[in-house]
Amino acid sequence: MVKSAENDHGENRKQQEDDVILENTPINFTMSQTRKNNSSEGETKPQTLFVNKFLRGSKAESREEKNDLQTTDSQAGDWIQKAATSDAAKPLSSETELRSSVEENEQFLQKLGEKDVDKCLDLNNCGLTTADLKEMVALLPFLLDLEELDISWNDFVGGTLHSITQQMHLVSKLKILRLGSCRLTTDDVRALGEALEMIPELEELNLSWNSKVGGNLPLILQKLQKGSKIQILELVDCALTSEDGAFLGQVLPVLQSLEVLDLSMNRDIGGSLNSIAQGLKSTSNLKVLKLHSCGLSQTSVKILDAAFRYLSELRKLDLSCNKDLGGGFEDSLAQVVMLKHLEVLDLHQCSLTADDVMSLTQVIPLLSNLQELDLSANKNMGSSSENLLSRLRFLPALKSLVINNCALESETFTALASVIQTGHLAKLRKLDLSYNDSICDAGWTMLCQKVQFLKELIELDVSLRPSNFRGCGRWFRHLLCAVTKLPQITEIGMKRWILPASQEEELEWFGQDRKRSIRFDHGGFQEADFPLSY
């Protein structure tokens, strides 16, 4: 059945991941092997504010809960023994105090109903208060096997992190620490740096969206030693300074296990790219490098290119939204061919010039494992992209092609249609050609006649820009015909294309005749709404 979308969900580039994170979702207390929410609605005993917070939104399952309570009653002794035998735990004055402490946490532990509850504590985006944090800190001595701690997006963590870092010696097995958007203060940053040496097993550190990290990065990373196990380091939008970037370049050789480095949205580190690139030469295991909106310039391309020969394991490269990169790709991509395993290349909104496109035309076809290519919002590509698109035939693994808002011309569409027809893009699942308003009806017709060869296509977007409305030509009938031959497709974006009454009826008939659910998102615009559009 076809669903016609009634609302335009925004006209800018696809929403950033930040928007999803900011949503007020229920709290999940995550276990390493099983994730299960247990009800608090059937309880008659008073619950602490902390327990109520992470259990909010759960459904009542009283019978199962009773069984869980019975099962976990016997675990209190295990917690007592674990706390009593730990050399790292703070000593209590008597066994009575120890049992009292356990009893205070016992109800909280029973509500979890899982044997491996001490492996993962996920309190991301749950509005923790200062009192909640104190309860969490009190729980840490009983989580000696804790491997993951996520308290991201909790504003009240800021200024109180020292109370947590003081207990880090109790959770020395910690592998994942996420503190994104916690409003960390300079004192928090300093306390964290001192605590990192207490958790030598750490593999992931996320400090994104904490502006006080900027200018203080050495306080965090200065005690990292050679042999560090950190694999993921995320410092998105941390207001990093050029000096921070230079220091990071010196630390990178210590991070031999590093696989993911995300420095996105730190606009001042472009000036220290030389140091960072030099350090990258020592991170041969790096798989993901994100430098989205980092103030990179034309010379940055050449600097990075020198490091690429040492990054043969790289899978994802994001240089998007660096508008001053334009013109920097000319004769500066000699080492990109060394990225034999590259799967994702994002160069959207980089002000690519015709010469840049010519250079990319020589290099991109050599990346035979490429699965996602985003060149969108580069308005100077225009007709210069014809040769590039024709050479996509050398990318048999390509699954996503995003070239919206590139001022493409009909000749470009012809080149793309020829590649599609020959079956070289058979694995393509997403094709975004939106906001290329200069394409004439003949160009759209050519493309729609060939779309039927994209048998794995799931999403197609041919929407017009927000300021433009046009009537659908004969190409729309070719599109409907092609859709009948695409078994996987579920989403077709065609915002601001105006459907004549006859085509609206044809679309309705198509929806009644099809068994699959396909969403045609055209905003409900009909010819009657724009009588003077033709």
Side-chain angles (χ1 to χ4, degrees):
M1 177 179 181
V2 178
K3 304 177 182 178
S4 297
E6 299 296 332
N7 298 315
D8 193 340
H9 299 294
E11 311 307 335
N12 297 323
R13 180 173 170 79
K14 308 297 186 276
Q15 291 181 340
Q16 303 296 320
E17 295 177 352
D18 312 49
D19 296 332
V20 179
I21 300 175
L22 287 170
E23 291 179 0
N24 237 350
T25 54
I27 303 157
N28 294 318
F29 193 100
T30 314
M31 272 60 73
S32 61
Q33 297 179 359
T34 308
R35 297 185 175 221
K36 176 180 179 182
N37 292 330
N38 292 281
S39 169
S40 62
E41 296 177 2
E43 286 293 314
T44 57
K45 297 181 181 179
Q47 301 295 309
T48 64
L49 178 61
F50 183 64
V51 174
N52 284 335
K53 276 184 175 295
F54 91 75
L55 289 176
R56 73 169 182 255
S58 60
K59 297 180 180 179
E61 297 176 355
S62 56
R63 292 184 180 179
E64 292 183 11
E65 185 177 60
K66 290 179 181 178
N67 292 334
D68 289 339
L69 291 175
Q70 293 174 356
T71 302
T72 54
D73 279 341
S74 62
Q75 296 180 18
D78 296 336
W79 289 102
I80 295 174
Q81 182 179 7
K82 187 179 292 184
T85 57
S86 171
D87 295 332
K90 289 185 177 180
L92 297 177
S93 58
S94 66
E95 181 179 348
T96 301
E97 288 187 28
L98 179 61
R99 287 186 176 276
S100 176
S101 179
V102 171
E103 289 172 359
E104 290 178 1
N105 291 289
E106 182 181 6
Q107 186 178 24
F108 175 75
L109 296 171
Q110 287 177 338
K111 297 297 294 184
L112 305 179
E114 296 290 341
K115 295 182 180 180
D116 290 328
V117 68
D118 54 346
K119 295 286 187 180
C120 175
L121 183 58
D122 186 347
L123 298 170
N124 173 26
N125 190 26
C126 63
L128 292 180
T129 65
T130 302
D132 297 332
L133 290 171
K134 289 181 179 179
E135 291 193 47
M136 188 194 75
V137 171
L139 182 63
L140 289 180
F142 303 96
L143 300 178
L144 305 182
D145 294 323
L146 190 67
E147 295 182 355
E148 178 177 343
L149 176 60
D150 188 348
I151 52 177
S152 300
W153 299 94
N154 288 290
D155 292 345
F156 282 95
V157 173
T160 65
L161 190 63
H162 65 281
S163 64
I164 300 174
T165 58
Q166 288 173 356
Q167 305 295 322
M168 284 298 183
H169 63 288
L170 302 178
V171 289
S172 59
K173 297 180 181 179
L174 199 66
K175 294 182 179 180
I176 299 174
L177 179 59
R178 300 189 181 112
L179 299 170
S181 191
C182 285
R183 294 191 178 182
L184 299 183
T185 66
T186 300
D187 288 339
D188 292 330
V189 169
R190 182 179 292 105
L192 177 61
E194 294 173 352
L196 285 183
E197 59 183 348
M198 302 178 191
I199 43 178
E201 301 299 317
L202 193 66
E203 296 178 357
E204 177 180 340
L205 179 61
N206 188 337
L207 302 176
S208 298
W209 300 290
N210 286 291
S211 61
K212 292 300 182 181
V213 172
N216 295 303
L217 191 61
L219 295 178
I220 301 174
L221 303 181
Q222 62 186 353
K223 292 190 177 181
L224 292 180
Q225 302 295 322
K226 189 174 183 178
S228 168
K229 296 183 179 180
I230 290 183
Q231 299 177 12
I232 301 175
L233 180 59
E234 296 181 305
L235 300 170
V236 178
D237 198 10
C238 284
L240 298 183
T241 64
S242 182
E243 290 75 17
D244 290 328
F247 179 81
L248 178 62
Q250 298 172 13
V251 172
L252 285 175
V254 175
L255 307 180
Q256 296 289 311
S257 299
L258 192 64
E259 296 184 0
V260 177
L261 177 61
D262 193 346
L263 303 176
S264 298
M265 300 178 68
N266 289 288
R267 295 172 179 81
D268 293 330
I269 65 171
S272 55
L273 189 63
N274 270 309
S275 178
I276 295 174
Q278 189 64 32
L280 287 174
K281 295 179 181 180
S282 301
T283 58
S284 58
N285 292 313
L286 195 68
K287 292 181 172 59
V288 176
L289 177 60
K290 295 184 179 181
L291 297 173
H292 164 92
S293 189
C294 282
L296 304 186
S297 63
Q298 289 184 349
T299 58
S300 300
V301 181
K302 192 169 186 178
I303 294 172
L304 287 171
D305 189 60
F308 288 154
R309 62 180 299 185
Y310 301 93
L311 303 178
S312 59
E313 296 300 316
L314 200 65
R315 300 305 200 264
K316 180 172 184 176
L317 177 61
D318 184 353
L319 302 179
S320 62
C321 293
N322 287 287
K323 296 182 180 180
D324 292 332
L325 278 181
F329 291 90
E330 304 171 22
D331 303 320
S332 298
L333 295 175
Q335 302 301 325
V336 171
V337 295
M338 302 298 293
L339 306 179
K340 299 293 186 182
H341 300 289
L342 195 67
E343 297 176 353
V344 179
L345 179 59
D346 191 344
L347 297 176
H348 83 264
Q349 202 168 347
C350 285
S351 301
L352 297 181
T353 66
D355 289 334
D356 288 331
V357 175
M358 185 178 299
S359 180
L360 290 169
T361 300
Q362 304 301 317
V363 173
I364 288 179
L366 301 177
L367 306 176
S368 58
N369 287 307
L370 200 64
Q371 297 181 16
E372 299 180 22
L373 177 60
D374 190 343
L375 300 174
S376 59
N378 287 291
K379 299 180 181 180
N380 293 325
M381 286 180 57
S383 60
S384 63
S385 58
E386 180 179 347
N387 289 334
L388 173 60
L389 296 184
S390 68
R391 300 196 70 188
L392 292 180
R393 65 184 183 275
F394 297 109
L395 302 179
L398 197 64
K399 296 180 180 179
S400 174
L401 177 60
V402 182
I403 45 177
N404 65 63
N405 198 18
C406 287
L408 300 182
E409 299 179 359
S410 296
E411 292 79 7
T412 308
F413 265 37
T414 300
L416 179 60
S418 296
V419 175
I420 292 175
Q421 183 179 14
T422 54
H424 292 294
L425 297 180
K427 293 187 178 297
L428 201 65
R429 298 179 180 177
K430 177 180 179 179
L431 178 58
D432 188 346
L433 301 170
S434 59
Y435 295 8
N436 287 292
D437 297 3
S438 58
I439 303 299
C440 64
D441 283 351
W444 288 114
T445 299
M446 171 71 72
L447 179 73
C448 292
Q449 287 176 333
K450 308 304 180 185
V451 165
Q452 61 178 300
F453 296 101
L454 301 176
K455 299 300 183 182
E456 296 188 19
L457 192 66
I458 296 175
E459 180 181 347
L460 173 66
D461 197 340
V462 297
S463 299
L464 297 173
R465 296 176 62 83
S467 59
N468 195 10
F469 292 85
R470 283 170 58 185
C472 288
R474 295 182 178 180
W475 61 265
F476 182 69
R477 181 167 298 176
H478 291 293
L479 178 61
L480 289 182
C481 181
V483 168
T484 63
K485 302 176 183 179
L486 299 177
Q488 305 297 328
I489 197 160
T490 60
E491 182 84 15
I492 298 178
M494 44 184 299
K495 296 185 182 72
R496 287 164 296 281
W497 285 103
I498 305 166
L499 296 177
S502 60
Q503 291 182 340
E504 184 73 23
E505 293 176 359
E506 197 169 357
L507 184 60
E508 291 178 0
W509 175 86
F510 180 85
Q512 296 172 359
D513 191 54
R514 300 293 296 170
K515 296 181 180 179
R516 293 185 290 118
S517 177
I518 304 175
R519 181 172 182 263
F520 279 82
D521 185 2
H522 66 89
F525 294 115
Q526 300 180 2
E527 187 175 21
D529 301 318
F530 298 87
L532 300 179
S533 297
Y534 298 102

